[in-house]
Amino acid sequence: MNATSHETYMYRCLQLAQLGVGNVAPNPMVGAVLVHDDKIIGEGYHRKYGEPHAEVNCINSVSPDKQELISQSTLYVSLEPCAHFGKTPPCADLIVHMNIPRVVIGCRDPFAQVDGKGIEKLLSAGVEVVSGILEKECRELNKRFFTFHTCHRPYIMLKWAQTADSKLGYSSSLGNSPLPVSRLFITNAFTNRLVHKWRSEQMAILIGTHTAIQDDPSLNTRLWPGNHPVRMVIDKQLTLPSGLKLFDGSIPTIVFNERKNTIENLKVVRQQPGVHYYQVVSSDSLVQQIMNALYHMEIQSLLVEGGSVLLQSFIEEDMWDEARVITNENLFLGEGLAAPVLRQGTLIFSEGIASDTIRTYQHIKLNEPL
Ligand code: AOF
Ligand code: ZN
């Protein structure tokens, strides 16, 4: 089989893997196909967290009349087959047990309990292994999972909406707000919906104290059919009013503060609706402390939605992977809260999506009349 055929089948694995979107986190999305004599005889993907892995579903999908071909087929899988007993037994053992002679892998699994051990198991059982086919695409598909396991922090997406003159909103200290607490609407119905889609793709969403008061956001995904991320807010001295929508108890909300801690089990808190308090210390970097907490909560992705000071502190600490900015080109505010500034030199700025291979910058411009 030549490299192009390997890529064709790996693309199919990637397509299948994506069918698991929204249902498998914190596990990765994985797809697999079984190929005999240049024909696909089985396909599968990881459908749901806790359920069988892609390889198992792929092997089980082979029709009874083709099962004898399994031991002469090549298994393609977008992620290294697992080697550990987790919620399911090791896929590498199943492959060996089914006498599959050759496995083509997209990328290595960074999860510490696998991380090369799946490949080793296959090789030591005499299975031929080809790896690194469409590696970049396979890693990109699970960028949250990879960032979490290699950097020991969530994948961080920064998002803000700004006016044409790079303002996020009124500044009460400048006195240009009609009211002390007032929200400026920069975006339209389309981008509001899009932001809810983005929210549904992240496991947690974080805002600062000022944004919580000024906007009183719900931080849910009511405009998009998807999962609600865990809501997170910074309130160092616990001064936020209890009537805010964030505190309605409908989904888990975590308050980073310097006064009290109510979380007993970091691994389960993200599944517990209600308000939870996580204590930080003033002497250390707040961003770092939040990252550590999220790592231990097994939260693999975070959307930082403002305000300016919080977003800028993530930028200053070089703690971000992707920025998504919406600009309303017809709205000028004059004075107001300045939008964050991405550090020069780290990005290629252009319309649409640009990447410097480390980070992605997406800029959406609204041009409709107000
Ligand atoms: C595979 N194929 O389709 C997936 C894999 O708790 P478990 O048993 O579901 O194991 C979760 C880990 O298995 C996850 O962290 C990742 O390393 C790997 N996921 N492996 O061989 C799959 N989803
Ligand atoms: Zn597995």
Side-chain angles (χ1 to χ4, degrees), residues 232-243:
M232 299 183 161
V233 61
I234 294 164
D235 183 15
K236 286 186 183 167
Q237 301 309 325
L238 296 181
T239 55
L240 286 176
S242 60

Side-chain angles (χ1 to χ4, degrees), residues 24 26-32 45-57 77-92 95 109-115 145 149 300:
V24 300
N27 273 2
M29 291 174 264
V30 184
Y45 65 97
H46 186 39
R47 289 170 173 268
K48 200 168 190 307
Y49 178 75
E51 291 188 1
H53 287 177
E55 300 89 322
V56 177
N57 289 331
V77 59
S78 55
L79 185 76
E80 173 185 3
C82 65
H84 69 299
F85 285 86
K87 299 231 165 358
T88 64
C91 292
I95 293 166
D109 185 344
F111 178 49
Q113 289 191 56
V114 186
D115 199 14
F145 175 81
H149 286 290
Q300 291 185 357

